Amino acid sequence: MKHRYIGLLTLVITMAAVCVALPYALLPRENERVHQHLITTKKPPCSEAHSEDVFCTHLPLVVIETGGKYIPGEPTDEVDFLKQSKHTLTPEGERMSEVKLSIFDSEEGYNHPTDVPVTDEKVLIRVRGNSSRKFEKQPYLIKFIDETGAYRNEAVMDMGEHHEWVLNGPYLDKSLVRNYLWYNISGELMRYAPNVRYCELIVDGDYRGVYLMAENIGKGNDSRLRLEKTEKGQTLLGYVVRVDRMPEEEIKSLKNIYTFAERFNILTTEIAIKFPGKHRLNNEMARTIEDDISAFEKAIYSYDYADPDYGYKKWIDIDDFVDYAIINEFAYNIDATRFSTYLYKEPGDKLRLAVWDFNNCCDNYVEVETGHRNFFTQSGYLFSMLMKNREFNEKVVKRYRSLRKDILSEENLFRYIDETTEFLGEAAIRNDERWAGYIESDVLMPRERNVHSREEAISQLKNFIHMRGKWLDENIESIYQYSADSRNKKFSAIPS
């Protein structure tokens, strides 16, 4: 008996050691999340003989050559009917320019523009984003095309094939870490989160700094997001819808729909179909998606929102919505559920959410200080009703307490930030030198919130995580106030 207890104790200790050693393998998943800084072999100093003026980096290198063409999409002084800035076009009136894109990505050595590229393709490009397109360090939308001009899927930096990619330039985020951190943490917890890789970018010989190459949310050849499948010889399609402020060019390229929440002013932004794209989408398909989203909205914004047969439970993957709420609440990503919100539905499955855009999170919002106190998710689209239900809030509290023991622990998040910063190394230093004027400037309001170095930015990010985690640890049960009878009235309760 004594030996049996010793054996059991040894097993428990061994399992505990495994859990500590594998912070990113917490849950059984069909698809392992790839973290660039963890899988990349540390490279010795570059040993190639080249002159000092040849650019040299341990990160993947992206080189864009426009051949003198203008990259459109910059904001103008004109506004559209939604009072948003109109954006520039090419001299020919096009929204995207065709340019050459080369990627240099050696597994063992450093990367140089003089090397043989692993990718050397024609792409369409434009400046993208809402407020971010006004930054000097511009973000870009990239679409791979074939010889006929049709979209073509391309695997980029060992990520799954996709025809549409985003080059996101961390500019507002002086730490360079926010999107990389939260996309990858989300990818560990949720069914799907966009893949990301760090790289450095050169455009027509001009060094543009450290960027994140990210897959745009939509249909790619990726098993994590199964929007298309074949059954009995018939192709079944799922869909992705985007909730956001739609710039003029997005209105042209996406299919706007008018759902129940918009008609009744529950939602003040717009909803558009992201997938299927306009080249595959017909009016019947668009109406089916519009009716599906509207039926879900009617169910959740009704007296029966919590009913097991008629309410939200028949429509959504509840665990996915719980994780989305926790991730965005913890990071205080205040745009989530208002802007940059993506709902997707795989064929024959329930609705899920995909995270997007954490540049403003962790008290990095330009216009206002968000701080580390208070909740915001309960006032957002869909969650204003979900969090009226005590059962949903109980799942949030239980899941939050569990995640704080491992993947959302301060120790794990701080380690992740430190390891990522170390991985960026000299690339981050080059980026800081390139954008030194911006890093020293004051962009956030009020001005005292601004930091003026990457070291200060990382310290600010860690301090927010510490204070936010501490506050949520002490107050997470307070979300039950949003499901209290005194708040929701008796008529919204399900009769026993």
Side-chain angles (χ1 to χ4, degrees):
M1 184 67 70
K2 177 181 178 181
H3 295 297
R4 185 177 299 171
Y5 283 133
I6 293 174
L8 180 60
L9 180 60
T10 302
L11 177 61
V12 170
I13 293 172
T14 302
M15 291 298 292
V18 170
C19 290
V20 171
L22 298 175
Y24 309 117
L26 304 170
L27 301 169
R29 299 184 308 279
E30 296 178 44
N31 305 287
E32 197 71 23
R33 183 71 181 187
V34 174
H35 302 256
Q36 183 187 19
H37 72 285
L38 294 178
I39 66 164
T40 303
T41 304
K42 190 171 183 179
K43 300 175 180 179
C46 183
S47 59
E48 289 191 30
H50 57 72
S51 60
E52 290 185 1
D53 60 349
V54 173
F55 188 81
C56 179
T57 176
H58 68 291
L59 293 180
L61 173 62
V62 178
V63 175
I64 293 173
E65 298 175 51
T66 67
K69 294 181 181 178
Y70 171 68
I71 299 178
E74 296 181 293
T76 69
D77 294 332
E78 293 185 78
V79 295
D80 59 22
F81 66 97
L82 294 174
K83 297 183 178 179
Q84 295 190 71
S85 294
K86 288 190 173 184
H87 307 128
T88 57
L89 306 174
T90 67
E92 297 76 27
E94 300 294 332
R95 299 186 181 278
M96 303 189 79
S97 281
E98 183 179 310
V99 301
K100 178 185 176 183
L101 181 141
S102 303
I103 299 176
F104 304 84
D105 190 12
S106 170
E107 291 185 7
E108 299 176 356
Y110 275 52
N111 296 301
H112 319 84
T114 53
D115 297 339
V116 177
V118 296
T119 299
D120 194 27
E121 305 288 350
K122 291 192 301 182
V123 299
L124 298 177
I125 188 172
R126 67 168 170 81
V127 181
R128 69 168 304 279
N130 281 305
S131 57
S132 59
R133 76 171 73 214
K134 300 174 184 177
F135 298 152
E136 189 178 356
K137 186 181 182 182
Q138 296 170 323
Y140 300 102
L141 177 68
I142 304 289
K143 295 187 179 185
F144 284 89
I145 55 174
D146 62 20
E147 294 300 323
T148 69
Y151 297 147
R152 180 180 59 78
N153 287 335
E154 178 78 16
V156 174
M157 300 177 197
D158 294 325
M159 294 184 280
E161 290 186 350
H162 205 303
H163 79 272
E164 194 169 278
W165 297 86
V166 169
L167 271 170
N168 176 269
Y171 191 65
L172 181 64
D173 176 20
K174 297 175 184 179
S175 77
L176 308 180
V177 170
R178 280 173 170 82
N179 268 330
Y180 180 81
L181 168 70
W182 292 113
Y183 281 178
N184 283 327
I185 293 295
S186 301
E188 286 293 335
L189 303 179
M190 303 176 70
R191 169 66 175 274
Y192 169 79
N195 269 323
V196 288
R197 298 287 192 276
Y198 280 112
C199 60
E200 290 187 85
L201 176 66
I202 296 174
V203 180
D204 288 338
D206 177 29
Y207 174 66
R208 303 292 292 172
V210 171
Y211 274 69
L212 274 171
M213 180 72 81
E215 60 182 5
N216 213 356
I217 297 173
K219 174 66 171 64
N221 290 346
D222 195 323
S223 60
R224 294 169 307 125
L225 191 56
R226 303 185 183 100
L227 295 173
E228 185 172 344
K229 69 177 182 180
T230 302
E231 283 188 1
K232 299 178 181 179
Q234 183 179 6
T235 299
L236 304 177
L237 294 180
Y239 62 80
V240 178
V241 296
R242 173 179 164 187
V243 181
D244 209 342
R245 299 163 293 186
M246 302 295 175
E248 182 185 25
E249 68 220 5
E250 301 286 8
I251 294 173
K252 299 288 186 182
S253 62
L254 304 180
K255 174 64 176 178
N256 239 37
I257 55 177
Y258 196 49
T259 67
F260 172 85
E262 290 180 281
R263 290 196 296 270
F264 285 86
N265 293 320
I266 296 168
L267 184 66
T268 55
T269 48
E270 297 175 278
I271 299 183
I273 299 172
K274 180 76 168 60
F275 177 85
K278 279 195 170 182
H279 63 293
R280 298 181 70 178
L281 188 69
N282 57 44
N283 289 334
E284 182 181 356
M285 294 164 66
R287 176 58 62 87
T288 298
I289 295 171
E290 182 178 81
D291 290 346
D292 198 51
I293 294 292
S294 290
F296 163 54
E297 291 173 340
K298 288 177 184 177
I300 200 168
Y301 288 101
S302 73
Y303 295 149
D304 297 323
Y305 70 94
D307 185 272
D309 296 320
Y310 303 105
Y312 70 84
K313 295 177 185 178
K314 65 174 286 189
W315 289 95
I316 69 171
D317 182 315
I318 298 174
D319 291 340
D320 180 272
F321 274 65
V322 166
D323 284 343
Y324 181 92
I326 291 171
I327 291 162
N328 285 287
E329 190 69 68
F330 190 97
Y332 217 122
N333 190 25
I334 198 169
D335 276 352
T337 75
R338 299 191 306 150
F339 312 121
S340 301
T341 299
Y342 290 84
L343 281 159
Y344 70 92
K345 191 173 188 179
E346 297 172 331
D349 212 334
K350 294 185 177 184
L351 284 163
R352 293 186 176 92
L353 287 159
V355 299
W356 188 255
D357 192 2
F358 288 90
N359 278 317
N360 292 309
C361 79
C362 300
D363 198 19
N364 203 46
Y365 207 77
V366 174
E367 291 89 355
V368 63
E369 182 177 7
T370 54
H372 63 273
R373 300 174 181 272
N374 301 319
F375 299 104
F376 76 90
T377 309
Q378 80 288 345
S379 62
Y381 172 60
L382 304 179
F383 287 92
S384 61
M385 295 302 293
L386 287 171
M387 295 182 74
K388 283 181 167 60
N389 179 230
R390 184 177 179 88
E391 184 180 351
F392 183 85
N393 289 340
E394 286 174 347
K395 288 180 177 292
V396 170
V397 171
K398 183 178 180 180
R399 178 68 163 161
Y400 173 79
R401 293 292 185 201
S402 174
L403 294 177
R404 279 292 279 170
K405 295 175 183 177
D406 37 54
I407 200 165
L408 285 186
S409 70
E410 184 173 300
E411 178 186 9
N412 186 56
L413 294 174
F414 281 14
R415 177 174 59 244
Y416 200 100
I417 293 168
D418 290 341
E419 290 174 349
T420 301
T421 301
E422 182 181 4
F423 168 70
L424 288 174
E426 294 181 358
I429 296 173
R430 283 191 291 271
N431 179 86
D432 294 350
E433 292 173 349
R434 172 64 174 83
W435 302 108
Y438 167 74
I439 291 173
E440 295 169 3
S441 68
D442 293 337
V443 177
L444 306 182
M445 300 299 293
R447 293 182 63 183
E448 58 267 20
R449 293 173 54 215
N450 287 273
V451 295
H452 301 103
S453 71
R454 185 162 42 87
E455 291 74 20
E456 288 181 28
I458 292 169
S459 178
Q460 180 273 338
L461 174 59
K462 285 184 173 181
N463 183 62
F464 175 87
I465 288 172
H466 169 72
M467 298 300 293
R468 183 62 170 163
K470 182 179 178 181
W471 187 87
L472 285 172
D473 289 348
E474 296 171 354
N475 294 278
I476 188 64
E477 280 83 5
S478 297
I479 66 171
Y480 289 131
Q481 66 182 296
Y482 304 117
S483 55
D485 286 344
S486 60
R487 183 182 182 92
N488 300 317
K489 311 289 186 188
K490 289 293 184 183
F491 61 70
S492 65
I494 304 300
S496 58

